[in-house]
Amino acid sequence: MSEFWLISAPGEKTCQQTWDKMMAATTRTNNLSTNHKFGIPDLKVGTLDVLVGLSDELAKLDSFVEGVVKKVAQYMADVLEDSRDKVQENLLANGVDLVTYITRFQWDMAKYPIKQSLKNISEIISKQVTQIDNDLKGRASAYNNLKGNLQNLERKNAGSLLTRSLAGIVKKDDFVLDSEYLITMLVVVPKTNYTDWQKTYETLAEMVVPRSSHLLFEDLDSGLFSVTLFRKAIDDFKHKARESKFTVREFQYNEEEMKADKEEMTRLSTDKKKQFFLVLLKVHYHNLIINNYFLSLYFLQGPLVRWLKVNFSEAFIAWIHIKALRVFVESVLRYGLPVNFQAMLLQPNKKTMKKLREVLDDLYKHLDSGAAAIIDSAMDIPGLNLSQQEYYPYVYYKIDCNLLDFKV
């Protein structure tokens, strides 16, 4: 399971006794969860008023940072496209998988100095993650614009012969060019009508050049034929072709325009590859796209994926530090001074979650005999955030590492 319960309970004679009691209740006879001590350093407590206000602020910051973590993770999945099965391998915190990071959590003294006040630490985290969120919006916008432009060009080079680009399909030798009287036209003919086309194209209008039609290209449904006729017969030819279910493509051969299209496609593709790495990309070329060869391209990680990896790690680490801050603040508010509590990380077994909750409630019910009444009355007590989450007699926060909309 990717769900963890981060809880705290007041120290007995020692915090080790609190830990031992919880372990005995949850693992020694019934194996309800896998448990780890969760190390929180000696933070500056401050005044009661500050703690109460900070409790509410941390709840909002927790929600915001979790949202940023999920956005970065989901964007990583979107960018990697067909490599989504590899996404989880890239979602690391401090170079290790998320479960390992959480279960071996150690406070980062360099990023979040404990000599600072709790308020200052929360502001450091808030500024850090807000910057990541803003940067993500800018990078996502630029990448999406690039991807959209490339998809538009790719659509022009795929799909039906009625709409797709003909650059790369036709060549100069297929056309009568620079003639005052003659013109070569392109006609899309359904495969089922090939025989009708060959029998009738010379009679669709006067002045069609005999035996001038050639099959240039075909897809699953249709073929692209060329035909040469006198310019003054164009309108009559189009009309008769439409009646016979042949579609004349409006096309003028322009070597410079087709070259520009190819270069733009290549440029956008190159730009996209610079943004992220593609693994074993198989491309069937016609334009950018070279006849019927399949190319397998390997690229090293580009700046966008590197940025996502680095900043996912930073955001996730910040999120777990917020959880630690919340446990510290709520524990002091509930259990009082001097600071004396044990923070514990439980990974519930899926089938026994309900039983685990019952065992914990029974183990810690003496901490708050009024818990049931509080839940029933839905009171909003400053510093306890009862309206935002379920209330238990012990401090409790859930950490869900399932950050994506799909199963990787």
Side-chain angles (χ1 to χ4, degrees), residues 55-85:
S55 179
D56 291 331
E57 291 173 15
L58 286 173
K60 295 173 185 175
L61 184 58
D62 188 350
S63 178
F64 167 68
V65 176
E66 180 181 3
V68 173
V69 169
K70 288 182 175 180
K71 276 197 288 187
V72 177
Q74 193 61 49
Y75 205 72
M76 173 80 81
D78 293 343
V79 168
L80 288 177
E81 296 176 341
D82 293 334
S83 301
R84 287 188 170 200
D85 58 326

Side-chain angles (χ1 to χ4, degrees), residues 115-138:
K115 290 183 180 180
Q116 299 269 2
S117 68
L118 296 174
K119 178 82 170 173
N120 285 352
I121 294 173
S122 70
E123 288 176 352
I124 290 171
I125 294 175
S126 179
K127 288 177 183 177
Q128 176 194 11
V129 179
T130 298
Q131 185 62 54
I132 292 174
D133 189 40
N134 290 337
D135 287 350
L136 177 63
K137 290 173 184 175

